[in-house]
PDB file of all heavy atoms in Angstrom:
ATOM      1  N   PHE A 496      -3.366  17.116   2.793  1.00  0.00           N
ATOM      2  CA  PHE A 496      -3.301  16.093   1.730  1.00  0.00           C
ATOM      3  C   PHE A 496      -1.959  16.003   0.969  1.00  0.00           C
ATOM      4  O   PHE A 496      -1.554  17.082   0.762  1.00  0.00           O
ATOM      5  CB  PHE A 496      -4.434  16.329   0.687  1.00  0.00           C
ATOM      6  CG  PHE A 496      -4.471  15.409  -0.494  1.00  0.00           C
ATOM      7  CD1 PHE A 496      -5.190  14.268  -0.473  1.00  0.00           C
ATOM      8  CD2 PHE A 496      -3.828  15.824  -1.622  1.00  0.00           C
ATOM      9  CE1 PHE A 496      -5.263  13.482  -1.599  1.00  0.00           C
ATOM     10  CE2 PHE A 496      -3.885  14.978  -2.774  1.00  0.00           C
ATOM     11  CZ  PHE A 496      -4.562  13.827  -2.630  1.00  0.00           C
ATOM     12  N   PRO A 497      -1.356  14.958   0.625  1.00  0.00           N
ATOM     13  CA  PRO A 497      -1.860  13.481   0.677  1.00  0.00           C
ATOM     14  C   PRO A 497      -1.407  12.899   2.005  1.00  0.00           C
ATOM     15  O   PRO A 497      -0.397  13.297   2.544  1.00  0.00           O
ATOM     16  CB  PRO A 497      -1.323  12.829  -0.485  1.00  0.00           C
ATOM     17  CG  PRO A 497       0.095  13.447  -0.650  1.00  0.00           C
ATOM     18  CD  PRO A 497      -0.159  14.908  -0.242  1.00  0.00           C
ATOM     19  N   ASN A 498      -2.244  11.951   2.567  1.00  0.00           N
ATOM     20  CA  ASN A 498      -1.837  11.187   3.708  1.00  0.00           C
ATOM     21  C   ASN A 498      -1.419   9.743   3.418  1.00  0.00           C
ATOM     22  O   ASN A 498      -1.040   8.940   4.269  1.00  0.00           O
ATOM     23  CB  ASN A 498      -3.011  11.092   4.776  1.00  0.00           C
ATOM     24  CG  ASN A 498      -3.663  12.442   4.919  1.00  0.00           C
ATOM     25  OD1 ASN A 498      -4.809  12.541   4.655  1.00  0.00           O
ATOM     26  ND2 ASN A 498      -2.985  13.540   5.241  1.00  0.00           N
ATOM     27  N   ARG A 499      -1.718   9.361   2.147  1.00  0.00           N
ATOM     28  CA  ARG A 499      -1.451   7.972   1.695  1.00  0.00           C
ATOM     29  C   ARG A 499      -0.761   7.984   0.314  1.00  0.00           C
ATOM     30  O   ARG A 499      -1.180   8.869  -0.499  1.00  0.00           O
ATOM     31  CB  ARG A 499      -2.701   7.122   1.650  1.00  0.00           C
ATOM     32  CG  ARG A 499      -2.602   5.746   1.183  1.00  0.00           C
ATOM     33  CD  ARG A 499      -3.936   5.075   1.236  1.00  0.00           C
ATOM     34  NE  ARG A 499      -4.902   5.758   0.501  1.00  0.00           N
ATOM     35  CZ  ARG A 499      -5.085   5.648  -0.882  1.00  0.00           C
ATOM     36  NH1 ARG A 499      -4.301   4.770  -1.481  1.00  0.00           N
ATOM     37  NH2 ARG A 499      -6.064   6.306  -1.560  1.00  0.00           N
ATOM     38  N   LEU A 500       0.203   7.223   0.117  1.00  0.00           N
ATOM     39  CA  LEU A 500       0.971   7.264  -1.162  1.00  0.00           C
ATOM     40  C   LEU A 500       1.284   5.832  -1.490  1.00  0.00           C
ATOM     41  O   LEU A 500       1.758   5.020  -0.740  1.00  0.00           O
ATOM     42  CB  LEU A 500       2.287   8.027  -1.002  1.00  0.00           C
ATOM     43  CG  LEU A 500       3.329   7.879  -2.052  1.00  0.00           C
ATOM     44  CD1 LEU A 500       2.747   8.605  -3.326  1.00  0.00           C
ATOM     45  CD2 LEU A 500       4.614   8.546  -1.648  1.00  0.00           C
ATOM     46  N   TYR A 501       1.120   5.616  -2.827  1.00  0.00           N
ATOM     47  CA  TYR A 501       1.562   4.276  -3.426  1.00  0.00           C
ATOM     48  C   TYR A 501       2.204   4.600  -4.734  1.00  0.00           C
ATOM     49  O   TYR A 501       1.690   5.343  -5.524  1.00  0.00           O
ATOM     50  CB  TYR A 501       0.335   3.308  -3.692  1.00  0.00           C
ATOM     51  CG  TYR A 501       0.742   2.137  -4.614  1.00  0.00           C
ATOM     52  CD1 TYR A 501       1.525   1.032  -4.002  1.00  0.00           C
ATOM     53  CD2 TYR A 501       0.399   2.155  -5.926  1.00  0.00           C
ATOM     54  CE1 TYR A 501       1.807   0.050  -4.848  1.00  0.00           C
ATOM     55  CE2 TYR A 501       0.790   1.107  -6.631  1.00  0.00           C
ATOM     56  CZ  TYR A 501       1.450  -0.054  -6.117  1.00  0.00           C
ATOM     57  OH  TYR A 501       1.800  -1.023  -6.931  1.00  0.00           O
ATOM     58  N   SER A 502       3.409   4.090  -4.944  1.00  0.00           N
ATOM     59  CA  SER A 502       4.102   4.307  -6.276  1.00  0.00           C
ATOM     60  C   SER A 502       4.833   3.075  -6.492  1.00  0.00           C
ATOM     61  O   SER A 502       5.361   2.420  -5.684  1.00  0.00           O
ATOM     62  CB  SER A 502       5.048   5.445  -6.114  1.00  0.00           C
ATOM     63  OG  SER A 502       6.029   5.351  -5.122  1.00  0.00           O
ATOM     64  N   ALA A 503       4.991   2.722  -7.855  1.00  0.00           N
ATOM     65  CA  ALA A 503       5.573   1.560  -8.285  1.00  0.00           C
ATOM     66  C   ALA A 503       6.000   1.739  -9.739  1.00  0.00           C
ATOM     67  O   ALA A 503       5.463   2.497 -10.545  1.00  0.00           O
ATOM     68  CB  ALA A 503       4.646   0.273  -8.193  1.00  0.00           C
ATOM     69  N   GLY A 504       7.062   1.010 -10.171  1.00  0.00           N
ATOM     70  CA  GLY A 504       7.578   1.146 -11.408  1.00  0.00           C
ATOM     71  C   GLY A 504       8.489  -0.044 -11.860  1.00  0.00           C
ATOM     72  O   GLY A 504       9.054  -0.677 -10.884  1.00  0.00           O
ATOM     73  N   ASN A 505       8.425  -0.482 -13.055  1.00  0.00           N
ATOM     74  CA  ASN A 505       9.368  -1.551 -13.536  1.00  0.00           C
ATOM     75  C   ASN A 505       9.875  -1.292 -14.894  1.00  0.00           C
ATOM     76  O   ASN A 505       9.389  -0.475 -15.616  1.00  0.00           O
ATOM     77  CB  ASN A 505       8.762  -2.913 -13.362  1.00  0.00           C
ATOM     78  CG  ASN A 505       7.473  -3.075 -14.130  1.00  0.00           C
ATOM     79  OD1 ASN A 505       7.415  -2.487 -15.246  1.00  0.00           O
ATOM     80  ND2 ASN A 505       6.510  -3.582 -13.607  1.00  0.00           N
ATOM     81  N   LEU A 506      11.087  -1.851 -15.234  1.00  0.00           N
ATOM     82  CA  LEU A 506      11.633  -1.805 -16.541  1.00  0.00           C
ATOM     83  C   LEU A 506      12.173  -3.143 -16.879  1.00  0.00           C
ATOM     84  O   LEU A 506      12.736  -3.822 -16.163  1.00  0.00           O
ATOM     85  CB  LEU A 506      12.821  -0.716 -16.481  1.00  0.00           C
ATOM     86  CG  LEU A 506      13.555  -0.441 -17.723  1.00  0.00           C
ATOM     87  CD1 LEU A 506      12.669   0.293 -18.746  1.00  0.00           C
ATOM     88  CD2 LEU A 506      14.754   0.359 -17.483  1.00  0.00           C
ATOM     89  N   SER A 507      11.893  -3.550 -18.142  1.00  0.00           N
ATOM     90  CA  SER A 507      12.347  -4.837 -18.623  1.00  0.00           C
ATOM     91  C   SER A 507      12.937  -4.731 -19.998  1.00  0.00           C
ATOM     92  O   SER A 507      12.590  -3.862 -20.805  1.00  0.00           O
ATOM     93  CB  SER A 507      11.143  -5.875 -18.564  1.00  0.00           C
ATOM     94  OG  SER A 507      10.114  -5.598 -19.526  1.00  0.00           O
ATOM     95  N   PHE A 508      13.722  -5.770 -20.208  1.00  0.00           N
ATOM     96  CA  PHE A 508      14.420  -5.834 -21.616  1.00  0.00           C
ATOM     97  C   PHE A 508      14.593  -7.364 -21.918  1.00  0.00           C
ATOM     98  O   PHE A 508      14.955  -8.207 -21.031  1.00  0.00           O
ATOM     99  CB  PHE A 508      15.732  -5.160 -21.650  1.00  0.00           C
ATOM    100  CG  PHE A 508      16.539  -5.365 -22.896  1.00  0.00           C
ATOM    101  CD1 PHE A 508      16.117  -4.755 -24.055  1.00  0.00           C
ATOM    102  CD2 PHE A 508      17.650  -6.255 -22.838  1.00  0.00           C
ATOM    103  CE1 PHE A 508      16.881  -5.082 -25.277  1.00  0.00           C
ATOM    104  CE2 PHE A 508      18.360  -6.590 -24.051  1.00  0.00           C
ATOM    105  CZ  PHE A 508      17.927  -5.872 -25.321  1.00  0.00           C
ATOM    106  N   SER A 509      14.382  -7.651 -23.163  1.00  0.00           N
ATOM    107  CA  SER A 509      14.648  -8.972 -23.574  1.00  0.00           C
ATOM    108  C   SER A 509      15.024  -9.089 -25.017  1.00  0.00           C
ATOM    109  O   SER A 509      14.558  -8.378 -25.866  1.00  0.00           O
ATOM    110  CB  SER A 509      13.413  -9.914 -23.357  1.00  0.00           C
ATOM    111  OG  SER A 509      13.502 -11.279 -23.781  1.00  0.00           O
ATOM    112  N   ASN A 510      15.975  -9.982 -25.358  1.00  0.00           N
ATOM    113  CA  ASN A 510      16.394 -10.386 -26.724  1.00  0.00           C
ATOM    114  C   ASN A 510      16.679 -11.874 -26.809  1.00  0.00           C
ATOM    115  O   ASN A 510      16.186 -12.596 -25.977  1.00  0.00           O
ATOM    116  CB  ASN A 510      17.525  -9.483 -27.218  1.00  0.00           C
ATOM    117  CG  ASN A 510      18.778  -9.656 -26.364  1.00  0.00           C
ATOM    118  OD1 ASN A 510      18.952 -10.667 -25.615  1.00  0.00           O
ATOM    119  ND2 ASN A 510      19.759  -8.764 -26.601  1.00  0.00           N
ATOM    120  N   ASN A 511      17.430 -12.219 -27.810  1.00  0.00           N
ATOM    121  CA  ASN A 511      17.608 -13.642 -27.990  1.00  0.00           C
ATOM    122  C   ASN A 511      18.436 -14.318 -26.866  1.00  0.00           C
ATOM    123  O   ASN A 511      18.466 -15.499 -26.734  1.00  0.00           O
ATOM    124  CB  ASN A 511      18.306 -13.869 -29.304  1.00  0.00           C
ATOM    125  CG  ASN A 511      17.364 -13.623 -30.535  1.00  0.00           C
ATOM    126  OD1 ASN A 511      16.081 -13.719 -30.370  1.00  0.00           O
ATOM    127  ND2 ASN A 511      17.910 -13.216 -31.686  1.00  0.00           N
ATOM    128  N   GLN A 512      19.211 -13.430 -26.179  1.00  0.00           N
ATOM    129  CA  GLN A 512      20.105 -13.991 -25.113  1.00  0.00           C
ATOM    130  C   GLN A 512      19.845 -13.465 -23.770  1.00  0.00           C
ATOM    131  O   GLN A 512      19.843 -14.266 -22.803  1.00  0.00           O
ATOM    132  CB  GLN A 512      21.621 -13.651 -25.498  1.00  0.00           C
ATOM    133  CG  GLN A 512      22.087 -14.517 -26.624  1.00  0.00           C
ATOM    134  CD  GLN A 512      23.624 -14.267 -26.819  1.00  0.00           C
ATOM    135  OE1 GLN A 512      23.992 -13.072 -26.929  1.00  0.00           O
ATOM    136  NE2 GLN A 512      24.376 -15.303 -26.924  1.00  0.00           N
ATOM    137  N   TRP A 513      19.449 -12.147 -23.648  1.00  0.00           N
ATOM    138  CA  TRP A 513      19.333 -11.578 -22.277  1.00  0.00           C
ATOM    139  C   TRP A 513      17.870 -11.257 -21.851  1.00  0.00           C
ATOM    140  O   TRP A 513      17.077 -10.915 -22.791  1.00  0.00           O
ATOM    141  CB  TRP A 513      20.065 -10.242 -22.291  1.00  0.00           C
ATOM    142  CG  TRP A 513      21.544 -10.327 -22.221  1.00  0.00           C
ATOM    143  CD1 TRP A 513      22.436 -10.183 -23.280  1.00  0.00           C
ATOM    144  CD2 TRP A 513      22.413 -10.553 -21.090  1.00  0.00           C
ATOM    145  NE1 TRP A 513      23.693 -10.408 -22.873  1.00  0.00           N
ATOM    146  CE2 TRP A 513      23.727 -10.626 -21.497  1.00  0.00           C
ATOM    147  CE3 TRP A 513      22.146 -10.864 -19.706  1.00  0.00           C
ATOM    148  CZ2 TRP A 513      24.779 -10.959 -20.683  1.00  0.00           C
ATOM    149  CZ3 TRP A 513      23.243 -11.062 -18.870  1.00  0.00           C
ATOM    150  CH2 TRP A 513      24.518 -11.079 -19.336  1.00  0.00           C
ATOM    151  N   ASP A 514      17.603 -11.515 -20.623  1.00  0.00           N
ATOM    152  CA  ASP A 514      16.375 -11.128 -20.020  1.00  0.00           C
ATOM    153  C   ASP A 514      16.704 -10.328 -18.689  1.00  0.00           C
ATOM    154  O   ASP A 514      17.421 -10.773 -17.831  1.00  0.00           O
ATOM    155  CB  ASP A 514      15.497 -12.328 -19.545  1.00  0.00           C
ATOM    156  CG  ASP A 514      14.889 -13.160 -20.799  1.00  0.00           C
ATOM    157  OD1 ASP A 514      14.722 -12.501 -21.799  1.00  0.00           O
ATOM    158  OD2 ASP A 514      14.737 -14.222 -20.624  1.00  0.00           O
ATOM    159  N   ILE A 515      16.186  -9.063 -18.655  1.00  0.00           N
ATOM    160  CA  ILE A 515      16.465  -8.180 -17.530  1.00  0.00           C
ATOM    161  C   ILE A 515      15.112  -7.600 -17.064  1.00  0.00           C
ATOM    162  O   ILE A 515      14.426  -7.083 -17.824  1.00  0.00           O
ATOM    163  CB  ILE A 515      17.431  -6.998 -17.912  1.00  0.00           C
ATOM    164  CG1 ILE A 515      18.709  -7.613 -18.509  1.00  0.00           C
ATOM    165  CG2 ILE A 515      17.716  -6.154 -16.774  1.00  0.00           C
ATOM    166  CD1 ILE A 515      19.633  -6.575 -19.096  1.00  0.00           C
ATOM    167  N   ILE A 516      14.963  -7.601 -15.774  1.00  0.00           N
ATOM    168  CA  ILE A 516      13.780  -7.023 -15.079  1.00  0.00           C
ATOM    169  C   ILE A 516      14.224  -6.289 -13.817  1.00  0.00           C
ATOM    170  O   ILE A 516      14.945  -6.822 -13.111  1.00  0.00           O
ATOM    171  CB  ILE A 516      12.756  -8.109 -14.754  1.00  0.00           C
ATOM    172  CG1 ILE A 516      12.265  -8.941 -15.873  1.00  0.00           C
ATOM    173  CG2 ILE A 516      11.582  -7.448 -14.092  1.00  0.00           C
ATOM    174  CD1 ILE A 516      11.304 -10.085 -15.534  1.00  0.00           C
ATOM    175  N   LEU A 517      13.737  -5.110 -13.708  1.00  0.00           N
ATOM    176  CA  LEU A 517      14.079  -4.216 -12.578  1.00  0.00           C
ATOM    177  C   LEU A 517      12.813  -3.517 -12.107  1.00  0.00           C
ATOM    178  O   LEU A 517      12.099  -2.895 -12.916  1.00  0.00           O
ATOM    179  CB  LEU A 517      15.185  -3.170 -12.957  1.00  0.00           C
ATOM    180  CG  LEU A 517      15.461  -2.038 -11.912  1.00  0.00           C
ATOM    181  CD1 LEU A 517      16.125  -2.728 -10.710  1.00  0.00           C
ATOM    182  CD2 LEU A 517      16.465  -1.033 -12.522  1.00  0.00           C
ATOM    183  N   GLY A 518      12.500  -3.620 -10.751  1.00  0.00           N
ATOM    184  CA  GLY A 518      11.302  -3.041 -10.276  1.00  0.00           C
ATOM    185  C   GLY A 518      11.329  -2.675  -8.816  1.00  0.00           C
ATOM    186  O   GLY A 518      12.232  -3.192  -8.087  1.00  0.00           O
ATOM    187  N   ALA A 519      10.582  -1.676  -8.464  1.00  0.00           N
ATOM    188  CA  ALA A 519      10.420  -1.308  -7.041  1.00  0.00           C
ATOM    189  C   ALA A 519       9.139  -0.702  -6.811  1.00  0.00           C
ATOM    190  O   ALA A 519       8.382  -0.166  -7.660  1.00  0.00           O
ATOM    191  CB  ALA A 519      11.541  -0.250  -6.645  1.00  0.00           C
ATOM    192  N   ASP A 520       8.597  -0.723  -5.474  1.00  0.00           N
ATOM    193  CA  ASP A 520       7.419  -0.020  -5.192  1.00  0.00           C
ATOM    194  C   ASP A 520       7.514   0.432  -3.683  1.00  0.00           C
ATOM    195  O   ASP A 520       8.408   0.053  -2.882  1.00  0.00           O
ATOM    196  CB  ASP A 520       6.229  -0.967  -5.266  1.00  0.00           C
ATOM    197  CG  ASP A 520       5.974  -1.971  -4.058  1.00  0.00           C
ATOM    198  OD1 ASP A 520       7.009  -2.272  -3.441  1.00  0.00           O
ATOM    199  OD2 ASP A 520       4.919  -2.301  -3.830  1.00  0.00           O
ATOM    200  N   LEU A 521       6.689   1.450  -3.364  1.00  0.00           N
ATOM    201  CA  LEU A 521       6.600   2.073  -2.062  1.00  0.00           C
ATOM    202  C   LEU A 521       5.234   2.259  -1.605  1.00  0.00           C
ATOM    203  O   LEU A 521       4.473   2.806  -2.360  1.00  0.00           O
ATOM    204  CB  LEU A 521       7.358   3.388  -1.992  1.00  0.00           C
ATOM    205  CG  LEU A 521       7.305   4.182  -0.675  1.00  0.00           C
ATOM    206  CD1 LEU A 521       8.035   3.503   0.440  1.00  0.00           C
ATOM    207  CD2 LEU A 521       7.889   5.641  -0.912  1.00  0.00           C
ATOM    208  N   ARG A 522       4.854   1.806  -0.432  1.00  0.00           N
ATOM    209  CA  ARG A 522       3.509   1.963   0.060  1.00  0.00           C
ATOM    210  C   ARG A 522       3.670   2.729   1.473  1.00  0.00           C
ATOM    211  O   ARG A 522       4.260   2.248   2.299  1.00  0.00           O
ATOM    212  CB  ARG A 522       2.885   0.699   0.307  1.00  0.00           C
ATOM    213  CG  ARG A 522       2.448  -0.072  -0.945  1.00  0.00           C
ATOM    214  CD  ARG A 522       2.158  -1.575  -0.597  1.00  0.00           C
ATOM    215  NE  ARG A 522       3.441  -2.322  -0.631  1.00  0.00           N
ATOM    216  CZ  ARG A 522       3.682  -3.444   0.004  1.00  0.00           C
ATOM    217  NH1 ARG A 522       2.714  -3.958   0.785  1.00  0.00           N
ATOM    218  NH2 ARG A 522       4.842  -4.049  -0.051  1.00  0.00           N
ATOM    219  N   HIS A 523       3.173   3.983   1.444  1.00  0.00           N
ATOM    220  CA  HIS A 523       3.318   4.827   2.663  1.00  0.00           C
ATOM    221  C   HIS A 523       1.986   5.369   3.087  1.00  0.00           C
ATOM    222  O   HIS A 523       1.132   5.764   2.279  1.00  0.00           O
ATOM    223  CB  HIS A 523       4.233   5.991   2.353  1.00  0.00           C
ATOM    224  CG  HIS A 523       4.505   6.938   3.545  1.00  0.00           C
ATOM    225  ND1 HIS A 523       3.710   7.857   3.933  1.00  0.00           N
ATOM    226  CD2 HIS A 523       5.521   6.886   4.472  1.00  0.00           C
ATOM    227  CE1 HIS A 523       4.163   8.568   4.997  1.00  0.00           C
ATOM    228  NE2 HIS A 523       5.202   7.947   5.373  1.00  0.00           N
ATOM    229  N   SER A 524       1.874   5.412   4.384  1.00  0.00           N
ATOM    230  CA  SER A 524       0.545   5.969   4.972  1.00  0.00           C
ATOM    231  C   SER A 524       0.873   6.738   6.287  1.00  0.00           C
ATOM    232  O   SER A 524       1.773   6.283   7.113  1.00  0.00           O
ATOM    233  CB  SER A 524      -0.381   4.845   5.324  1.00  0.00           C
ATOM    234  OG  SER A 524      -1.584   5.326   5.918  1.00  0.00           O
ATOM    235  N   ASP A 525       0.125   7.760   6.634  1.00  0.00           N
ATOM    236  CA  ASP A 525       0.192   8.422   7.946  1.00  0.00           C
ATOM    237  C   ASP A 525      -0.705   7.753   8.960  1.00  0.00           C
ATOM    238  O   ASP A 525      -0.744   8.243  10.137  1.00  0.00           O
ATOM    239  CB  ASP A 525      -0.223   9.956   7.729  1.00  0.00           C
ATOM    240  CG  ASP A 525       0.896  10.691   6.981  1.00  0.00           C
ATOM    241  OD1 ASP A 525       1.939  10.292   6.947  1.00  0.00           O
ATOM    242  OD2 ASP A 525       0.421  11.747   6.391  1.00  0.00           O
ATOM    243  N   GLY A 526      -1.346   6.744   8.630  1.00  0.00           N
ATOM    244  CA  GLY A 526      -2.197   5.972   9.517  1.00  0.00           C
ATOM    245  C   GLY A 526      -3.623   6.606   9.638  1.00  0.00           C
ATOM    246  O   GLY A 526      -3.878   7.771   9.178  1.00  0.00           O
ATOM    247  N   TYR A 527      -4.529   5.733  10.103  1.00  0.00           N
ATOM    248  CA  TYR A 527      -5.888   6.301  10.305  1.00  0.00           C
ATOM    249  C   TYR A 527      -6.571   5.550  11.480  1.00  0.00           C
ATOM    250  O   TYR A 527      -6.070   4.624  12.022  1.00  0.00           O
ATOM    251  CB  TYR A 527      -6.732   5.832   9.029  1.00  0.00           C
ATOM    252  CG  TYR A 527      -6.852   4.341   8.764  1.00  0.00           C
ATOM    253  CD1 TYR A 527      -7.782   3.543   9.359  1.00  0.00           C
ATOM    254  CD2 TYR A 527      -5.847   3.773   7.888  1.00  0.00           C
ATOM    255  CE1 TYR A 527      -7.840   2.182   9.140  1.00  0.00           C
ATOM    256  CE2 TYR A 527      -5.966   2.349   7.656  1.00  0.00           C
ATOM    257  CZ  TYR A 527      -6.901   1.620   8.249  1.00  0.00           C
ATOM    258  OH  TYR A 527      -7.001   0.268   8.053  1.00  0.00           O
ATOM    259  N   THR A 528      -7.615   6.201  12.038  1.00  0.00           N
ATOM    260  CA  THR A 528      -8.319   5.707  13.214  1.00  0.00           C
ATOM    261  C   THR A 528      -9.835   5.816  12.869  1.00  0.00           C
ATOM    262  O   THR A 528     -10.413   6.873  12.904  1.00  0.00           O
ATOM    263  CB  THR A 528      -7.991   6.514  14.458  1.00  0.00           C
ATOM    264  OG1 THR A 528      -6.597   6.406  14.674  1.00  0.00           O
ATOM    265  CG2 THR A 528      -8.718   5.930  15.653  1.00  0.00           C
ATOM    266  N   ILE A 529     -10.407   4.633  12.582  1.00  0.00           N
ATOM    267  CA  ILE A 529     -11.873   4.661  12.330  1.00  0.00           C
ATOM    268  C   ILE A 529     -12.683   4.644  13.666  1.00  0.00           C
ATOM    269  O   ILE A 529     -13.691   5.164  13.849  1.00  0.00           O
ATOM    270  CB  ILE A 529     -12.374   3.543  11.384  1.00  0.00           C
ATOM    271  CG1 ILE A 529     -11.564   3.732   9.994  1.00  0.00           C
ATOM    272  CG2 ILE A 529     -13.763   3.407  11.302  1.00  0.00           C
ATOM    273  CD1 ILE A 529     -11.759   2.560   9.075  1.00  0.00           C
ATOM    274  N   SER A 530     -12.124   3.758  14.602  1.00  0.00           N
ATOM    275  CA  SER A 530     -12.726   3.662  15.894  1.00  0.00           C
ATOM    276  C   SER A 530     -11.526   3.517  16.970  1.00  0.00           C
ATOM    277  O   SER A 530     -10.716   2.748  16.788  1.00  0.00           O
ATOM    278  CB  SER A 530     -13.687   2.381  15.968  1.00  0.00           C
ATOM    279  OG  SER A 530     -14.098   2.127  17.369  1.00  0.00           O
ATOM    280  N   GLU A 531     -11.728   4.210  18.090  1.00  0.00           N
ATOM    281  CA  GLU A 531     -10.748   4.076  19.171  1.00  0.00           C
ATOM    282  C   GLU A 531     -10.904   2.894  19.890  1.00  0.00           C
ATOM    283  O   GLU A 531      -9.917   2.498  20.615  1.00  0.00           O
ATOM    284  CB  GLU A 531     -10.956   5.346  20.136  1.00  0.00           C
ATOM    285  CG  GLU A 531     -10.654   6.702  19.519  1.00  0.00           C
ATOM    286  CD  GLU A 531      -9.189   6.963  19.295  1.00  0.00           C
ATOM    287  OE1 GLU A 531      -8.333   6.134  19.717  1.00  0.00           O
ATOM    288  OE2 GLU A 531      -8.903   8.004  18.561  1.00  0.00           O
ATOM    289  N   ASP A 532     -11.971   2.099  19.783  1.00  0.00           N
ATOM    290  CA  ASP A 532     -12.257   0.989  20.558  1.00  0.00           C
ATOM    291  C   ASP A 532     -11.924  -0.328  19.923  1.00  0.00           C
ATOM    292  O   ASP A 532     -12.048  -1.369  20.619  1.00  0.00           O
ATOM    293  CB  ASP A 532     -13.868   0.998  20.983  1.00  0.00           C
ATOM    294  CG  ASP A 532     -14.252   2.257  21.752  1.00  0.00           C
ATOM    295  OD1 ASP A 532     -13.409   2.721  22.597  1.00  0.00           O
ATOM    296  OD2 ASP A 532     -15.368   2.655  21.541  1.00  0.00           O
ATOM    297  N   ALA A 533     -11.417  -0.229  18.706  1.00  0.00           N
ATOM    298  CA  ALA A 533     -11.153  -1.575  18.029  1.00  0.00           C
ATOM    299  C   ALA A 533      -9.837  -1.427  17.269  1.00  0.00           C
ATOM    300  O   ALA A 533      -9.677  -0.586  16.457  1.00  0.00           O
ATOM    301  CB  ALA A 533     -12.318  -1.876  17.043  1.00  0.00           C
ATOM    302  N   TYR A 534      -8.877  -2.312  17.679  1.00  0.00           N
ATOM    303  CA  TYR A 534      -7.543  -2.155  17.043  1.00  0.00           C
ATOM    304  C   TYR A 534      -7.584  -2.515  15.469  1.00  0.00           C
ATOM    305  O   TYR A 534      -6.813  -1.941  14.762  1.00  0.00           O
ATOM    306  CB  TYR A 534      -6.610  -3.126  17.739  1.00  0.00           C
ATOM    307  CG  TYR A 534      -6.831  -4.558  17.459  1.00  0.00           C
ATOM    308  CD1 TYR A 534      -6.105  -5.141  16.388  1.00  0.00           C
ATOM    309  CD2 TYR A 534      -7.582  -5.304  18.164  1.00  0.00           C
ATOM    310  CE1 TYR A 534      -6.261  -6.479  16.135  1.00  0.00           C
ATOM    311  CE2 TYR A 534      -7.862  -6.675  17.878  1.00  0.00           C
ATOM    312  CZ  TYR A 534      -7.171  -7.273  16.926  1.00  0.00           C
ATOM    313  OH  TYR A 534      -7.359  -8.556  16.631  1.00  0.00           O
TER     314      TYR A 534
END
């Protein structure tokens, strides 16, 4: 453990003139197999 990971974050700023947004995310998995017969 772990075999699956999700992480995300953002940062923002705003005033009378400026609007700023910065963000990123990551989705990672080692894969899974529930049935060998069905893709």
